[in-house]
Amino acid sequence: MGATPFQTEAWTEYGIGTLILFLRYFARWKAVGFKGWQGDDYFALLVLIFWTLELCMLELIGQYGTNIGIYDEISATLTDEEIARFEFGSKCLLMGWNFYVSLIWALKGCVLCFYNRITLGLRQQKFVKWTGIACVVGFAGVLGAIWGHCVPVHRNWQVVPYPGDACTTGFANYITLVVINVVTDVAILVIPVPLLWKVQLPIGRKLAIGVLLCSGIFIIIATLLRCILSLQSIKGINVSTIWAIRETFVGIVATNAAAIKPLFSGSRWLSSSKGNSATPYSKDTNSHPLATIGGSSNVTSRPNRRRSMDYTNIGNSSEENIFKPDLSHIRGETKVSSGPRTGKSTPGHPITVTTEVDVDYSKQV
């Protein structure tokens, strides 16, 4: 028996999504090494785990069916084996809800950890932390709806007698999820807006960065479509399952686009350096942390050139530099003496450090 169109689409999207995740792992390994991974990288590993479990559950649901629409007059005609199959499929549906929600919130964690890094030392970081707390509370609320909308819990997979549409269709799950999911997505979406507003970049590059950082709008659209279409076909399972795959696929692509961009561009977004210190971002708008995403910016005037070459280290054992300047045009020599500038070493005088720097502007672009 050949694969159904649903199976073909689901596993194709799974393969593409998994490839994107592995590209992300490779890009981050290339940038900072495995020892330099941050919170968003570990959330990305959880995304792969929940992505796989979600697909497996939906595959089993398609093979075994569920108790949706198995009213008493229908269940009276079922054999014990058929009832057992529907019970098992309904259990897979319940677990599928949990894996699906966990995957969505792992993607949120991925984005929030990334924003926490690029807002280090900025006022927006406090909003990132509050949004993270809201997401944790929202996650608990959605799981509470999944497990609490039908009690006792075993009625979620009960076939005989029919437990009722409220238990089988999961109407409360859709409403709770779409409200909390969209609200938290909007909160995450507005985090980079002030950064993009202040950054000094050509409008084209600013728009390109905005699309990458604000790609959550596509997730919100997919979430709303999934909820609306699933509620329209709530007595069936095919529409909701395929749209669950589509929504999470869009989420994986949108969330990891920024992380894999360096693999497909000549200039890297985030260059890496090894070190043990962390320096917060400068709060001066001329050295804004987004100013050099996608390449160095030339919009800063010459009097501020020295300031615009500063860069920020993020992390402890491994840092990500938003911009590491090319200092090949600067040659310097440092001399250390223990006396005054007479060339003699005189006891009791402090150590004098003299640095001579020559700048060759002909090598600047």
Side-chain angles (χ1 to χ4, degrees):
M1 182 177 178
T4 64
F6 162 78
Q7 291 174 314
T8 301
E9 178 182 348
W11 288 105
T12 300
E13 290 172 350
Y14 173 80
I16 298 173
T18 302
L19 175 62
I20 290 173
L21 287 169
F22 275 101
L23 285 175
R24 179 214 167 84
Y25 304 149
F26 175 73
R28 292 288 292 154
W29 168 79
K30 188 176 180 182
V32 297
F34 289 125
K35 292 183 178 180
W37 274 24
Q38 302 292 330
D40 52 318
D41 302 306
Y42 295 107
F43 270 114
L45 288 176
L46 289 177
V47 168
L48 178 60
I49 294 173
F50 290 130
W51 180 229
T52 302
L53 291 173
E54 180 191 20
L55 261 293
C56 291
M57 290 301 103
L58 296 185
E59 180 70 21
L60 291 173
I61 291 169
Q63 293 180 10
Y64 287 86
T66 69
N67 59 357
I68 298 177
I70 308 297
Y71 300 106
D72 290 336
E73 56 271 21
I74 298 176
S75 62
T77 63
L78 299 177
T79 64
D80 291 341
E81 181 180 355
E82 290 173 328
I83 292 174
R85 287 178 61 87
F86 285 129
E87 287 180 347
F88 179 76
S90 300
K91 291 177 182 179
C92 292
L93 176 61
L94 179 62
M95 295 309 301
W97 269 104
N98 287 270
F99 295 142
Y100 161 72
V101 171
S102 298
L103 170 56
I104 291 176
W105 257 258
L107 291 171
K108 295 179 192 291
C110 224
V111 177
L112 285 172
C113 287
F114 174 69
Y115 285 166
N116 188 58
R117 291 209 312 276
I118 68 173
T119 58
L120 185 64
L122 300 177
R123 288 179 299 177
Q124 285 82 0
Q125 190 178 41
K126 182 178 294 186
F127 185 70
V128 173
K129 295 183 183 298
W130 281 109
T131 304
I133 294 174
C135 286
V136 172
V137 174
F139 180 62
V142 174
L143 289 183
I146 292 173
W147 288 96
H149 79 281
C150 179
V151 290
V153 175
H154 70 83
R155 296 183 66 205
N156 284 280
W157 57 82
Q158 179 177 300
V159 177
V160 180
Y162 186 64
D165 289 342
C167 287
T168 59
T169 60
F171 179 84
N173 295 352
Y174 291 107
I175 300 301
T176 305
L177 175 61
V178 74
V179 172
I180 297 178
N181 195 14
V182 170
V183 169
T184 52
D185 277 347
V186 170
I188 294 173
L189 187 65
V190 301
I191 291 174
V193 173
L195 306 181
L196 290 170
W197 182 263
K198 294 178 182 179
V199 71
Q200 300 179 14
L201 283 176
I203 187 64
R205 181 178 295 171
K206 184 179 290 191
L207 288 175
I209 296 173
V211 170
L212 285 170
L213 295 183
C214 300
S215 54
I217 187 66
F218 302 113
I219 304 177
I220 294 175
I221 294 173
T223 299
L224 293 173
L225 284 174
R226 193 249 177 173
C227 180
I228 294 171
L229 295 175
S230 296
L231 291 177
Q232 288 178 349
S233 304
I234 199 167
K235 293 298 182 66
I237 194 64
N238 291 335
V239 173
S240 62
T241 52
I242 191 59
W243 271 99
I245 295 297
R246 291 167 180 169
E247 179 189 353
T248 47
F249 172 72
V250 171
I252 289 173
V253 174
T255 301
N256 293 281
I260 65 175
K261 180 184 180 296
L263 297 177
F264 303 98
S265 61
S267 58
R268 294 173 59 183
W269 257 44
L270 305 173
S271 61
S272 63
S273 68
K274 303 295 180 182
N276 296 314
S277 63
T279 306
Y281 287 126
S282 169
K283 295 185 179 180
D284 183 19
T285 57
N286 289 325
S287 57
H288 199 280
L290 292 183
T292 51
I293 289 180
S296 59
S297 175
N298 296 323
V299 298
T300 307
S301 61
R302 182 172 294 274
N304 292 327
R305 180 179 296 276
R306 174 65 181 89
R307 182 177 298 173
S308 67
M309 290 192 302
D310 293 340
Y311 63 95
T312 300
N313 291 331
I314 304 176
N316 292 321
S317 60
S318 176
E319 292 83 31
E320 291 179 345
N321 302 331
I322 296 301
F323 176 56
K324 189 171 183 178
D326 181 11
L327 303 179
S328 60
H329 59 285
I330 299 178
R331 299 189 302 275
E333 180 181 1
T334 301
K335 299 179 181 179
V336 180
S337 61
S338 60
R341 296 190 178 185
T342 58
K344 297 180 180 181
S345 177
T346 306
H349 286 282
I351 296 176
T352 301
V353 180
T354 304
T355 302
E356 298 178 359
V357 179
D358 296 326
V359 180
D360 185 2
Y361 287 100
S362 62
K363 292 186 178 182
Q364 295 188 5
V365 179

